[in-house]
Amino acid sequence: MKPVDAAGDFLDVLVTKDQINERLAELAKQIENDYQNKNVLLVGVLKGAVMLMADLSRQLSFSVEMDWMAVSSYGKGTTSSGVVRILKDLDADIANRHVLILEDIVDSGLTLSWLVQNLRARQPASLEVFALLRKPEAIQVHVDVKYVGFDIPPDFVVGYGLDYAEGYRNLDSVATLNPAVYSERP
Ligand code: 5GP
């Protein structure tokens, strides 16, 4: 069994567990302020937003509902295909609901822009986006992201829900992966 923080696999920890917790607490306050007296439906994008959903929702002092959507993105590679497919749709009808999408990372913006368009067509009362990470240099399509955890450089990252070939999601920080790791496992 390979340790999640195997020495040599990670070039750099970009965002630590403590930094994530601190930033989520700040953004949770902002969300509480923005959604006073409203019922919020958090929509997590599987599987990357699992940790974010668990940690952010527990920082909120009001009760929220949760739903999940799974869309295809990178497969096993490290570049965006731009082709989006729904693998799992929402259980809830979001018409007239206040929906906040939780996304792990915005890279090219292609996935998110598609998702926002798709959900907007279902006529929610409001639709906003929360992204833990954003790579400003990689954005190809503009999407309004109301809540951003951290802007990071355009390197491939893993941890805190983000995977490489389904591994490393359970790393509690966000780290860059040594390119040697993915040249070993095409
Ligand atoms: P986009 O369509 O914005 O290029 O990519 C969005 C999706 O690609 C994210 O939800 C995530 O699943 C995946 N992705 C983008 N950048 C990274 C990265 O640096 N690491 C990992 N593990 N996944 C990424």
Side-chain angles (χ1 to χ4, degrees):
M1 213 179 289
K2 195 171 179 181
V4 68
D5 58 351
D9 274 8
F10 303 112
L11 285 176
D12 218 353
V13 171
L14 282 187
V15 191
T16 65
K17 171 173 121 183
D18 290 347
Q19 286 171 323
I20 294 172
N21 286 338
E22 219 171 280
R23 185 72 182 127
L24 291 187
E26 281 171 16
L27 291 170
K29 285 210 179 73
Q30 219 174 299
I31 292 169
E32 285 173 357
N33 201 43
D34 294 347
Y35 287 92
Q36 287 172 36
N37 306 317
K38 288 180 181 147
N39 287 320
V40 182
L41 174 67
L42 300 179
V43 168
V45 184
L46 291 170
K47 305 171 189 168
V50 166
M51 308 298 175
L52 177 61
M53 176 73 91
D55 288 346
L56 178 69
S57 64
R58 286 180 295 174
Q59 298 262 15
L60 294 169
S61 59
F62 55 80
S63 171
V64 289
E65 287 178 44
M66 299 175 191
D67 205 346
W68 300 93
M69 204 158 164
V71 295
S72 66
S73 55
Y74 283 4
K76 289 193 173 181
T78 58
T79 51
S80 191
S81 65
V83 179
V84 181
R85 262 185 328 127
I86 296 182
L87 304 176
K88 186 224 166 283
D89 208 342
L90 297 175
D91 295 332
D93 176 2
I94 61 167
N96 303 315
R97 302 294 311 270
H98 292 284
V99 176
L100 178 57
I101 300 174
L102 304 190
E103 176 68 295
D104 49 7
I105 188 165
V106 186
D107 186 357
S108 67
L110 290 167
T111 309
L112 193 56
S113 128
W114 181 92
L115 194 60
V116 165
Q117 248 180 305
N118 184 288
L119 296 190
R120 193 164 282 146
R122 307 181 195 194
Q123 302 185 310
S126 69
L127 182 64
E128 299 292 351
V129 179
F130 185 117
L132 180 71
L133 305 167
R134 182 173 63 180
K135 296 180 185 172
E137 289 171 48
I139 304 266
Q140 289 174 24
V141 191
H142 177 78
V143 191
D144 280 324
V145 182
K146 186 158 186 182
Y147 309 97
V148 179
F150 303 90
D151 280 318
I152 59 166
D155 305 313
F156 189 78
V157 294
V158 295
Y160 201 77
L162 287 156
D163 74 309
Y164 172 66
E166 294 301 324
Y168 304 107
R169 291 192 197 274
N170 59 322
L171 181 72
D172 60 12
S173 54
V174 175
T176 50
L177 196 58
N178 190 318
V181 178
Y182 38 87
S183 57
E184 281 164 18
R185 297 163 63 189

